[in-house]
Amino acid sequence: MQLQGFSIIQGYTKILLEGQELDLHNDYEFTHIDYCIAARRLQLHWARSAGDWVRPSMPAALTLVCAGVHMLKIRESGEEEHVNGEKCLSSIGFMWNAMRDDMDGVASHEASEGCTDLSLIFMSDLSIKIAAVEARIIVGTGPAMAAE
């Protein structure tokens, strides 16, 4: 998967977009998923947190758009769900393609040969794994929505 216009920062929860570090764990809340089978497009939406630690200059909404999706796996939240755990990203990165059944890990912040599946894991143990041609971030000023 090629990341277009952004990168994942080494660590667990931050992306670099237009020179700005955006923390998807502390500063944003995951809101919803849209998946269009016919278009092979997945959209993951975040809204800026209302916490007083969040800079008002940060984008109000972010949407991760994955195009050319050819594999999507989702694992439900755990039984002992963390409070608001589905809203809170725990880690984002790439996982080995040969380990598609493993929904618990991230191997690298960069894609490499044989390690191109994007993995997102949330505090609730909700886990999303995606194989796609490319991914990009759309910045919004209102609710976390992306244009068709």
Side-chain angles (χ1 to χ4, degrees):
M1 179 181 310
Q2 294 290 317
L3 302 183
Q4 302 293 328
F6 79 102
S7 59
I8 299 170
I9 298 174
Q10 188 169 4
Y12 295 105
T13 63
K14 294 181 181 179
I15 61 171
L16 183 64
L17 178 69
E18 299 173 356
Q20 186 176 19
E21 284 189 18
L22 302 172
D23 187 339
L24 299 177
H25 172 81
N26 292 305
D27 299 338
Y28 286 88
E29 294 180 354
F30 184 65
T31 60
H32 64 282
I33 301 169
D34 291 315
Y35 183 48
C36 181
I37 295 169
R40 296 182 0 176
R41 183 184 61 246
L42 175 72
Q43 298 177 350
L44 305 175
H45 304 272
W46 282 265
R48 185 177 61 214
S49 172
D52 60 2
W53 63 89
V54 180
R55 297 182 319 273
S57 62
M58 295 177 68
L62 301 171
T63 300
L64 173 66
V65 179
C66 298
V69 174
H70 51 90
M71 188 277 302
L72 172 62
K73 293 185 73 145
I74 299 175
R75 179 185 65 196
E76 73 277 3
S77 296
E79 289 181 21
E80 296 185 24
E81 181 179 326
H82 180 274
V83 176
N84 292 322
E86 288 187 344
K87 296 180 182 179
C88 189
L89 186 70
S90 176
S91 61
I92 183 172
F94 291 95
M95 190 59 168
W96 298 104
N97 303 5
M99 296 181 68
R100 287 194 169 148
D101 289 335
D102 182 352
M103 299 294 286
D104 291 316
V106 170
S108 177
H109 67 286
E110 297 177 322
S112 60
E113 187 173 337
C115 187
T116 60
D117 290 350
L118 186 62
S119 182
L120 298 96
I121 303 167
F122 295 82
M123 296 299 293
S124 66
D125 281 339
L126 170 69
S127 183
I128 303 169
K129 192 173 284 188
I130 310 146
V133 174
E134 65 178 27
R136 68 184 189 286
I137 299 286
I138 295 175
V139 175
T141 56
M145 299 298 262
E148 288 295 316

